[in-house]
Amino acid sequence: MLFGKAPVIVLRDGPTILKAVQEMLASAAPGERAGLERAAEIVEAQCARTEDDVLKQWVRGVLADAGVDAGTNHAEAVAALRNVVPDLALTTANDLVTQAA
């Protein structure tokens, strides 16, 4: 995905993590199984998310860290996002904030 001049890459290493948890689960002691089964469920749920969902969560996290509510102050939210990604085009930042709100 290209935003302005700088590409934004969404890393999705969930399948690798899921495989590792499943391998551990195969040889787990009975006392470890419940925790590893729950971990596998959590990772599977994350793997099922779309790139759009992951991107929206990232935008919401950036805005939360900045203490900005996109619903009440759209312009400040766009500015906060562009502070984190300086090469982000204004129109792209606007679209991301709108989608995440």
Side-chain angles (χ1 to χ4, degrees):
M1 192 171 295
L2 191 61
F3 296 138
K5 299 178 218 167
V8 173
I9 300 169
V10 177
L11 298 177
R12 305 288 306 262
D13 57 353
T16 304
I17 296 168
L18 179 59
K19 182 179 178 191
V21 171
Q22 289 170 332
E23 288 172 359
M24 292 180 76
L25 184 57
S27 61
E32 298 173 324
R33 290 195 65 77
L36 288 170
E37 287 170 351
R38 181 65 184 131
E41 291 170 3
I42 292 168
V43 175
E44 283 177 4
Q46 291 300 313
C47 289
R49 296 175 63 213
T50 66
E51 285 190 17
D52 285 344
D53 288 340
V54 173
L55 190 56
K56 286 177 191 175
Q57 181 182 14
W58 175 78
V59 171
R60 290 178 186 134
V62 167
L63 298 180
D65 289 347
V68 178
D69 179 4
T72 58
N73 196 337
H74 187 86
E76 188 176 342
V78 170
L81 193 57
R82 292 184 78 205
N83 282 336
V84 172
V85 185
D87 287 337
L88 190 63
L90 179 61
T91 55
T92 303
N94 180 66
D95 291 345
L96 289 171
V97 168
T98 299
Q99 292 168 12

